[in-house]
Amino acid sequence: MKREEFQLAVQLGFVRTVPGAMPGTAEGAADPTRRRVARSEIERLTKAPDFPEGLRERVRSVGTSEGAQLLSISKERFARLARTGHFSPVRFYVNRYRAVVWLYPAAELGEFALTHPGLLTGRLPLDVRIRADGGEDWRPRNWRARRLGMLLRASGDPWVRTAAIASLLDPVQLAEVVDDPFERAYLDRFRPAPPSWRPTTPAAREIADRLLLADDPDEILWHRMSLALALDEARADRQAPWPGAPPPGGHPLAPPGSILAALGVPMPATAPLGLPATAPATLPSPAPAVRPQTALPGGDAAGPVPGPAPTGPASSGPASSGPASSGPASSGPAPAGLAGGPMSPGEASLGPASPGPASLGTASAGPARPPGGIRPPGRRTRRSLLDRLRGRKEVRSRPGG
């Protein structure tokens, strides 16, 4: 089979797949985003009496002209039935005129001819004519629904299923339903890849990308509600990771100093990166900054305005009894206190002293998710589905909303 035929067979459910192994794992952990065909499924398909012609015929797709010939109707009638949602396309492509060409499964068209013979002859029903004349086009919506069904059947992981629903909404709609940025980032990890047959040219790809997102208001509302319900199920299964959370193994990473202290190895105190362990003996004092004289409104010239007091080297003598300077702290080299040693009274403290070996004996517990309903710092409080719907109703009820 060709690659396109095999992909259609998987999408239509004729070939069953299972989660593939995650690359780089010796244990063979399942990766919900990768699918493969089991050997037993290949044996089942090859043992069929009509293999491979029968499978090729079941996945054969036709356009409007060939589909109209298959149903023995005109192309206009076929297009009206397709726009009103009587059969769903399985694929599309953008031709050189930037027009979307829809493809339909030939097997489903044959079943439609057997189950709805009244729609193939005579005058179309009134409701079908009204919908067709009103400009309805259900082909993009039906194709998205078919693709979503395939994605939901392909995985049982709640977060993967939620990401499949979220892929049908634009970023603005998604942010209104999933107000937690960490959850949106987690859903983006499981976002399904676009179809491999998507156009490559920029103009055609832009048209295809628009067809991937829901555009009808009823369809958007349906997917928003589905996403909110699926998100509640995913949260009940497990929480989305956030920065500082322990790895999936369950044990938080301990600081390096706590490991050395547990082994009884003293850890020498070091200065912060980029700062020397000890301050030099003498530092040159910068010249005081003097602003130029400016004329006052009365005509008198203002005297020179002295700049901030120079910060010289740390002195070991008695401290000055003058008022404390309100200028910025000196950014000179680190004093000896940062290296773990005692600080002299004249030295200016640039930060807390580094802990010595004695303070490394207690291993600090790694970051863990706050218990209960406490949210990590920076995360917004989740709203229930009812609160979100109420907020949406209030926005619509505002004047000019």
Side-chain angles (χ1 to χ4, degrees), residues 54-68:
L55 184 58
R56 286 200 184 102
E57 181 62 26
R58 288 193 292 272
V59 300
R60 184 170 67 95
S61 57
V62 296
T64 301
S65 300
E66 192 174 355

Side-chain angles (χ1 to χ4, degrees), residues 48-398:
D50 58 348
F51 181 83
E53 288 77 11
L55 184 58
R56 286 200 184 102
E57 181 62 26
R58 288 193 292 272
V59 300
R60 184 170 67 95
S61 57
V62 296
T64 301
S65 300
E66 192 174 355
Q69 295 177 4
L70 185 63
L71 298 180
S72 300
I73 59 178
S74 64
K75 294 190 295 183
E76 291 76 10
R77 191 184 190 97
F78 183 91
R80 289 165 73 92
L81 291 175
R83 290 193 184 99
T84 52
H86 287 83
F87 30 82
S88 303
V90 70
R91 183 172 291 186
F92 68 89
Y93 67 90
V94 182
N95 60 14
R96 59 179 179 176
Y97 304 106
R98 299 183 183 179
V100 180
V101 180
W102 298 97
L103 302 177
Y104 309 88
E108 293 184 3
L109 295 180
E111 295 177 1
F112 178 82
L114 297 176
T115 55
H116 301 84
L119 296 176
L120 304 181
T121 58
R123 194 176 186 183
L124 291 175
L126 179 61
D127 59 334
V128 176
R129 286 185 278 116
I130 292 176
R131 291 163 55 191
D133 295 339
E136 289 190 9
D137 192 355
W138 283 67
R139 292 175 296 180
R141 182 171 180 174
N142 287 342
W143 175 79
R144 287 189 291 265
R146 183 191 290 271
R147 182 171 182 267
L148 178 60
M150 179 201 67
L151 295 175
L152 294 179
R153 291 191 304 266
S155 176
D157 187 272
W159 283 100
V160 177
R161 296 169 61 89
T162 305
I165 303 175
S167 64
L168 299 177
L169 298 175
D170 57 53
V172 176
Q173 299 285 345
L174 180 60
E176 292 180 358
V177 180
V178 187
D179 52 1
D180 193 334
F182 300 119
E183 289 180 343
R184 292 198 300 271
Y186 195 49
L187 289 175
D188 191 64
R189 291 176 52 185
F190 301 108
R191 187 179 185 87
S196 59
W197 41 267
R198 188 175 57 159
T200 56
T201 59
R205 173 165 292 191
E206 182 180 358
I207 298 175
D209 290 343
R210 287 201 304 264
L211 295 175
L212 293 174
L213 300 178
D215 54 359
D216 187 77
D218 294 338
E219 183 186 8
I220 293 175
L221 179 59
W222 175 265
H223 290 313
R224 283 171 63 104
M225 298 182 64
S226 301
L227 176 60
L229 296 176
L231 187 61
D232 292 339
E233 296 179 1
R235 289 168 177 167
D237 181 76
R238 67 181 184 273
Q239 296 292 327
W242 52 280
H251 299 286
L253 299 177
S258 61
I259 301 177
L260 296 178
L263 297 177
V265 179
M267 185 175 179
T270 57
L273 296 177
L275 297 179
T278 58
T282 58
L283 291 176
S285 300
V290 179
R291 299 180 183 176
Q293 297 182 0
T294 56
L296 297 178
D300 298 335
V305 181
T311 55
S315 174
S316 59
S320 174
S321 58
S325 174
S326 59
S330 172
S331 59
L338 288 180
M343 295 178 62
S344 61
E347 291 176 339
S349 175
L350 294 181
S354 302
S359 63
L360 296 175
T362 58
S364 60
R369 183 175 293 277
I374 302 177
R375 307 286 293 169
R379 300 188 73 172
R380 299 172 58 185
T381 305
R382 296 176 181 142
R383 297 185 299 169
S384 62
L385 173 60
L386 184 58
D387 294 338
R388 287 193 288 267
L389 293 179
R390 286 175 178 173
R392 187 170 180 268
K393 184 177 181 182
E394 293 176 358
V395 171
R396 285 188 173 183
S397 61
R398 293 176 183 174

